[in-house]
Amino acid sequence: QVQLVESGGGLAQAGGSLRLSCAASRGTFSTYGAGWFRQAPGKEREFVAAISRDGTFTNVADSVKGRFTISRDNAKNMVYLQMNTLKPEDTAVYYCAAQSHFDYVASRLAQYGYWGQGTQVTVSS
C-alpha cells in the first residue's frame, strides 16, 4: 500500500507563495487519486484540492480557487500543491492523501484511505 510524505511547508508572509510536495512510495501511484486537505487549530480537517489518477481532472475548494493549484508527476510519484497569494487564514497543517477506489476526483475526507503525516504552513499578516 502507498505511503505518503509531505514537504515544503513553512512560514510565509501574506501575499507570498509556497509549494508543497508529496512523495509516494510502496505502490503504483498512478492507480491512486490524490488530494490535499488541511486542518487549522480547533477546526475540522477540510478539503483543499484533489486530482485524478492521470492528472487530467482537478477540483479545488472555493476558498482557494484561483490561488492554489494541484498537479502530479506519476513518473516521479509526486503530487504538488502550488499556493499563491497566501492569506493568514491558510495557516494550517496540510495533509496529502490518496485513494484507490474512485475513478472520479474525490473531495470528501472519508473517501481517502492513505494519509501523510502533515506539514505545517503558517502565513503571517
Side-chain angles (χ1 to χ4, degrees):
Q1 61 189 39
V2 68
Q3 292 187 341
L4 306 170
V5 178
E6 304 95 334
S7 61
L11 178 64
Q13 291 188 335
S17 298
L18 284 174
R19 187 194 196 202
L20 304 184
S21 298
C22 174
S25 61
R26 293 191 180 183
T28 305
F29 191 52
S30 60
T31 64
Y32 293 84
W36 288 94
F37 292 76
R38 68 186 181 185
Q39 188 166 16
K43 295 187 177 182
E44 295 184 351
R45 194 171 300 188
E46 65 176 5
F47 169 74
V48 175
I51 190 166
S52 59
R53 293 170 178 172
D54 64 356
T56 302
F57 300 102
T58 64
N59 185 27
V60 295
D62 288 343
S63 59
V64 304
K65 195 164 292 183
R67 300 189 297 121
F68 291 12
T69 303
I70 186 171
S71 62
R72 67 189 296 165
D73 185 341
N74 284 341
K76 297 181 179 179
N77 290 343
M78 297 290 294
V79 177
Y80 306 100
L81 185 68
Q82 179 66 44
M83 306 186 295
N84 298 328
T85 319
L86 284 163
K87 303 177 180 180
E89 51 264 43
D90 294 320
T91 295
V93 178
Y94 283 72
Y95 296 90
C96 178
Q99 60 82 17
S100 59
H101 293 292
F102 304 98
D103 292 331
Y104 54 85
V105 179
S107 59
R108 291 188 289 116
L109 188 149
Q111 292 175 306
Y112 288 84
Y114 306 98
W115 294 87
Q117 82 288 351
T119 185
Q120 176 71 46
V121 171
T122 302
V123 183
S124 63
S125 58

